[in-house]
Amino acid sequence: MFPEICEILSNGGTITCFLTDADGVPVDTDGPLDLCEAVRRVTIPVTLPNGVVADLQQVTLRKSGFVVLEVTDGETTCLSEPISFCSVENIILCAPDGTDIVCEVTDFSCSPCVSCNTEGFVQSIDIFFRICQNVQVVADVTVELTTRLCQPRQAFDVPLCPRNAAIPPQCPVLFPESGEMPEDIAPELPTISLPAPDPVVNQEELETICVNTSKVYDWLVLTNDFEINRLADDLIFNCTPCEMRLFVPAVTLCERIYSGKLLCGEDPVVGAAVNIIADPPILEIDPDPVITDEFGNFEVLASVASGTDDTMVTVTAFAELPEGLASKSLNTMAFCPEPPCSIDLFIEGQEDLISCSSFLSGRVRCGNTVIEGATVDLESSNPAIIMFESTPTTTGSNGNYFAGISIPEDTPEQEVTITATTTIDGETISASVDITVECNETPCP
């Protein structure tokens, strides 16, 4: 079976494997991997190297996951369906009741080897694994510490060049003309005296504090080497010249467009569903999945939640095709700072004119969050002719505020500036509006 696999390898092709999830989507192996779990612990007597017999725990660790094999010669690429693996080992730990066993895979590698028969068909494939694991036995404890709380000290100046540090002439006894120094003799360096700093106090009196932390009862760093064998009948390979092209910017600031193209050979793949995932999953993709157009192209909007710090994200686009899985992964630095706070100001008027009376309104928000209970101060460039019904005023549950405006009688038409100001978390923000006012009512006869 799979003569194309043996043919690719016989013509100088290569076979590699990589870690995936159950759907065959590649998994980032740069950080710790969640592949290991403790499935059993049993207390047994153990004779220590010093001859003492102690009750320790025999812990059974299981490492499991999926890998995909890739065979390629640069022109034709064959990918296997996800292949499951599982390895079980027993280790001795000090892991009494009440403790947790944390097993973290810090490094993962795999190496496949293909066996082809004389007719050029795959007989079997051996996959060799090496897993590095960090195993700790921990428990939450409260620790009482007696310590000093540090305070910043005063700065003192140190001269960059030492005073009175002239280099003395060389001594012929220590530095003869031959240039060789007598044994067991070392030249003394000039002593440099620095001014003593003023006394400073940078610590308070001793205090007792309680800290909740994790206590490590036992800790091992282990390497687990194992292999699995799969017969040809247990394997499925998809050989396809299909290619997923993905275009992701190096930086994703709040919102960016990701695009790509799906080809099989030189022909575009039309109407294919392309899924896009992010690791870690801090990106919102719209639409998801996206459908390729008549040219095999696709576009999505990637959004980062407000307040997200700089995070390196691996973006993977993949499509399940009749010819097999086509995928591509790229990295981007994603972040989106919190938007600033703002205040709106609106004045009711007829064609930007206030005649005798009106009212103003506005809203206070920080990003998409409205601020309730904010104190808003109102003022005008001419306090003599602009009177506010209430100032300061306070925002309601929807962040809105309101106030009436009145203008004295016999006020000729003129332009004034009205300003609304508030302070949020120590930051003062304001908004201003220029408007024409007048009040020249004619009394009824």
Side-chain angles (χ1 to χ4, degrees):
M1 297 182 62
F2 310 119
E4 59 271 38
I5 301 298
C6 296
E7 181 179 355
I8 291 173
L9 295 176
S10 64
N11 292 330
T14 60
I15 180 170
T16 57
C17 67
F18 52 90
L19 188 65
T20 72
D21 61 16
D23 297 320
V25 179
V27 173
D28 184 10
T29 57
D30 288 340
L33 302 172
D34 186 19
L35 302 176
C36 178
E37 63 175 333
V39 295
R40 184 170 177 263
R41 73 172 104 178
V42 178
T43 300
I44 59 174
V46 176
T47 301
L48 302 180
N50 60 5
V52 175
V53 178
D55 287 338
L56 298 179
Q57 284 69 43
Q58 178 178 282
V59 177
T60 302
L61 300 179
R62 180 174 63 193
K63 277 79 66 178
S64 60
F66 297 86
V67 293
V68 166
L69 305 181
E70 181 180 58
V71 183
T72 183
D73 59 3
E75 295 182 0
T76 302
T77 298
C78 299
L79 294 176
S80 72
E81 292 292 316
I83 301 171
S84 63
F85 66 86
C86 183
S87 173
V88 175
E89 64 177 332
N90 293 316
I91 61 175
I92 303 299
L93 292 170
C94 173
D97 291 341
T99 59
D100 296 321
I101 300 171
V102 180
C103 180
E104 184 180 75
V105 172
T106 57
D107 191 47
F108 175 91
S109 63
C110 58
S111 301
C113 181
V114 180
S115 297
C116 297
N117 60 22
T118 56
E119 297 176 354
F121 291 93
V122 174
Q123 284 186 315
S124 64
I125 294 181
D126 296 301
I127 307 175
F128 301 87
F129 294 85
R130 167 159 288 186
I131 293 179
C132 297
Q133 50 201 333
N134 185 31
V135 184
Q136 289 187 343
V137 180
V138 299
D140 288 338
V141 297
T142 300
V143 180
E144 181 180 294
L145 299 176
T146 301
T147 184
R148 292 183 175 91
L149 301 180
C150 293
Q151 301 294 332
R153 65 170 176 81
Q154 298 175 356
F156 54 85
D157 295 329
V158 176
L160 299 180
C161 296
R163 304 185 183 96
N164 303 321
I167 300 176
Q170 288 183 323
C171 178
V173 175
L174 300 179
F175 298 92
E177 292 182 357
S178 64
E180 297 180 358
M181 185 184 304
E183 295 182 359
D184 302 327
I185 297 179
E188 294 185 1
L189 298 177
T191 301
I192 301 173
S193 299
L194 298 180
D198 295 333
V200 292
V201 178
N202 66 339
Q203 292 183 328
E204 300 291 342
E205 294 297 327
L206 289 175
E207 292 191 17
T208 299
I209 61 175
C210 294
V211 178
N212 186 265
T213 185
S214 292
K215 177 181 178 181
V216 177
Y217 284 75
D218 205 350
W219 188 358
L220 288 178
V221 177
L222 306 171
T223 300
N224 183 205
D225 294 315
F226 63 96
E227 65 178 283
I228 62 174
N229 176 274
R230 293 291 185 269
L231 299 177
D233 292 341
D234 301 325
L235 298 170
I236 297 178
F237 276 93
N238 299 302
C239 299
T240 172
C242 296
E243 177 187 8
M244 174 71 73
R245 297 179 181 176
L246 180 62
F247 307 99
V248 172
V251 174
T252 300
L253 174 60
C254 297
E255 286 188 353
R256 291 298 298 269
I257 295 293
Y258 297 168
S259 61
K261 191 179 188 71
L262 189 55
L263 299 169
C264 280
E266 297 181 355
D267 299 325
V269 180
V270 181
V274 177
N275 295 275
I276 298 179
I277 60 174
D279 182 26
I282 65 171
L283 299 180
E284 181 178 343
I285 306 297
D286 184 37
D288 184 27
V290 60
I291 306 301
T292 57
D293 63 16
E294 58 183 320
F295 304 106
N297 297 324
F298 61 88
E299 257 189 14
V300 297
L301 176 66
S303 303
V304 185
S306 175
T308 301
D309 294 329
D310 295 6
T311 305
M312 183 61 70
V313 179
T314 300
V315 179
T316 301
F318 64 96
E320 294 280 358
L321 303 174
E323 297 84 356
L325 177 71
S327 67
K328 180 68 175 181
S329 297
L330 292 174
N331 291 333
T332 182
M333 182 63 73
F335 60 96
C336 188
E338 288 280 3
C341 299
S342 63
I343 182 172
D344 300 325
L345 175 60
F346 307 100
I347 298 179
E348 290 293 324
Q350 297 179 354
E351 298 181 355
D352 296 329
L353 173 67
I354 296 179
S355 181
C356 296
S357 65
S358 184
F359 69 91
L360 59 79
S361 63
R363 175 176 289 178
V364 178
R365 71 180 77 195
C366 291
N368 296 323
T369 303
V370 297
I371 305 301
E372 180 182 2
T375 299
V376 180
D377 293 304
L378 305 172
E379 59 182 12
S380 72
S381 57
N382 191 341
I385 64 170
I386 296 291
M387 289 172 285
F388 299 105
E389 179 184 22
S390 60
T391 183
T393 183
T394 304
T395 58
S397 59
N398 56 2
N400 290 339
Y401 65 91
F402 304 89
I405 302 173
S406 61
I407 302 164
E409 292 184 4
D410 300 326
T411 298
E413 185 176 301
Q414 56 190 287
E415 186 176 276
V416 296
T417 300
I418 296 177
T419 302
T421 304
T422 189
T423 300
I424 306 295
D425 293 334
E427 178 187 4
T428 299
I429 54 177
S430 63
S432 298
V433 172
D434 296 327
I435 195 164
T436 302
V437 300
E438 61 86 24
C439 189
N440 192 16
E441 293 182 342
T442 302
C444 296

